[in-house]
Amino acid sequence: MPPMQPHWDIFCRVVDNYGDIGVCWRLARQLAAEHGKRVRLWVDDLASLQPLCPACDPALPAQALAGVEVRHWVDDATVDWLAEAKIADVVVEAFACELPPGYVAGMAQRPARPVWLNLEYLSAESWVESCHGMASPHPSLPLTKHFVFPGFSPSTAGLPREARLPAAPLAALPATPEISLFCYATAPVASLLEAFAASPRPLRCLVPPGQPLAAVRACLGGDGPWQLGLARIEPIPFLAQDDYDALLRRCAINFVRGEDSFVRAQWAGRPFVWQIYRQDDDAHLGKLDAFLDRYCADLAEPAARALRQLFLAWNTGADCTAAWADFLGHYDAIAHHAAGWNAALRMQPDLATNLVKFCAAQV
């Protein structure tokens, strides 16, 4: 008989609405579907998973979805983790969410200690390459945690990417471009709408529920759709992950945020504008600059400057009307670069494959 596949536990505490759970859900699905792993995904807020996976019932404590056992993670010191769930062979602590103390104690009691991974947030900063895979012994238990950093180079854990990722063919700006708008409430949506209203060509802007639609409604009033000159602004339903991926591939330009949609926009191979998750003291702006330095390294001027100006305006709340016009004026060069960046990233191993190989080397 073939050997039993290792059992993986992924713990996710939802912080950024759909970013954290989006990454963890994709990873869990891929580990099960492509690597044959037995995966349990522990989530503290199942209501955030349901829009991404409509089959999810937030009221259930346990359910099977897409080959993954999804469990409601309840913060309760009285839970007996040894009785509640067999400790896994591989334990993924997503984004420093802090495992339940009782679960950690159970890990230490296993004769064969589990591989313990702390999955960090994605960063383009150069220091993550030297820290990827770093071991951190537990201060009092016979356990070692390894820090794994997703990233954009072969010296990191790579990016989430399924094996059958659709191709991203290069396309010119269509006569009536579609634009997806997924942003935080802090984005300068009002100035973007002003730029859309002044557009010399027709366009459609597709806005999902939540913070994006709330920002548009605050500017325009009513429930939409709205007509601003030649621009049509249309509310759309919240889309499951696979449907959202298809939307990104269809749109000529994608405004994205956080981590999950940011990565998926790059796999779509289309021009995009990223709003990074805001941090205290504007620490996020250094991370944004690190990505722009890496992303624009092979993009010639003045297209690189146009792209940077729009990214910075979008992330600092500045007026983006002029930056939007400049971005559109260099669309062909930016689109060609997005396709080339996509192709280069596809040459690297994906996150799930790298994690499986890393864990195999620890046994």
Side-chain angles (χ1 to χ4, degrees):
M1 293 181 62
M4 291 289 291
Q5 286 291 340
H7 173 200
W8 289 54
D9 269 348
I10 302 174
F11 285 83
C12 176
R13 191 181 298 280
V14 177
V15 176
D16 177 24
N17 290 317
Y18 306 110
D20 309 86
I21 184 58
V23 171
C24 291
W25 178 232
R26 289 187 193 275
L27 176 61
R29 286 196 297 163
Q30 189 179 357
L31 286 168
E34 297 181 11
H35 297 276
K37 305 303 181 187
R38 296 175 294 152
V39 183
R40 277 186 311 208
L41 175 60
W42 297 87
V43 185
D44 69 332
D45 181 8
L46 286 174
S48 292
L49 175 59
Q50 197 275 333
L52 304 177
C53 174
C56 175
D57 184 348
L60 294 179
Q63 54 197 303
L65 300 168
V68 175
E69 181 184 351
V70 177
R71 301 288 295 268
H72 186 203
W73 177 12
V74 179
D75 277 327
D76 187 345
T78 65
V79 173
D80 184 345
W81 283 93
L82 289 177
E84 173 72 14
K86 180 177 180 293
I87 304 299
D89 304 297
V90 179
V91 181
V92 179
E93 181 181 349
F95 314 121
C97 63
E98 295 189 9
L99 300 179
Y103 190 95
V104 175
M107 291 166 61
Q109 294 178 32
R110 274 189 46 147
R113 307 285 188 254
V115 179
W116 184 3
L117 305 178
N118 190 95
L119 178 62
E120 292 286 347
Y121 285 106
L122 171 64
S123 177
E125 295 168 294
S126 58
W127 63 265
V128 304
E129 297 178 351
S130 60
C131 292
H132 172 58
M134 183 178 294
S136 175
H138 193 279
S140 59
L141 296 174
L143 296 170
T144 299
K145 181 193 300 187
H146 289 87
F147 291 84
V148 291
F149 287 84
F152 300 93
S153 81
S155 298
T156 67
L159 299 174
R161 185 187 75 242
E162 62 273 25
R164 296 184 178 180
L165 183 71
L170 181 63
L173 186 66
T176 303
E178 288 186 308
I179 300 166
S180 71
L181 178 60
F182 188 49
C183 63
Y184 297 117
T186 53
V189 170
S191 68
L192 182 67
L193 293 174
E194 290 178 11
F196 287 171
S199 174
R201 66 195 307 160
L203 64 83
R204 294 177 66 215
C205 178
L206 308 176
V207 189
Q211 295 183 53
L213 187 56
V216 170
R217 283 174 171 163
C219 295
L220 303 179
D223 295 325
W226 302 269
Q227 192 69 38
L228 305 177
L230 297 178
R232 183 173 175 83
I233 316 300
E234 301 181 16
I236 61 172
F238 199 95
L239 301 176
Q241 278 189 333
D242 293 344
D243 295 330
Y244 180 67
D245 295 345
L247 175 71
L248 294 177
R249 293 192 296 271
R250 190 182 85 204
C251 287
I253 301 171
N254 295 298
F255 284 79
V256 292
R257 75 184 200 196
E259 182 164 328
D260 185 57
S261 62
F262 168 51
V263 172
R264 300 312 295 189
Q266 292 169 74
W267 292 136
R270 298 282 190 261
F272 67 94
V273 182
W274 176 38
Q275 185 180 16
I276 191 171
Y277 187 78
R278 177 170 287 187
Q279 295 178 295
D280 294 336
D281 300 324
D282 289 337
H284 60 290
L285 294 180
K287 297 179 180 181
L288 176 65
D289 284 338
F291 173 72
L292 287 172
D293 288 345
R294 191 179 293 267
Y295 187 70
C296 294
D298 294 324
L299 178 59
E301 298 291 359
R305 182 174 64 251
L307 187 146
R308 279 182 174 273
Q309 287 175 342
L310 183 55
F311 270 58
L312 291 174
W314 193 242
N315 280 278
T316 57
D319 187 293
C320 61
T321 51
W324 170 253
D326 200 22
F327 185 90
L328 281 186
H330 296 91
Y331 181 87
D332 288 347
I334 293 172
H336 188 272
H337 176 71
W341 174 262
N342 174 290
L345 288 180
R346 287 175 185 247
M347 299 296 291
Q348 300 179 23
D350 65 272
L351 175 66
T353 298
N354 280 332
L355 294 187
V356 169
K357 290 181 178 179
F358 181 88
C359 292
Q362 303 306 312
V363 176

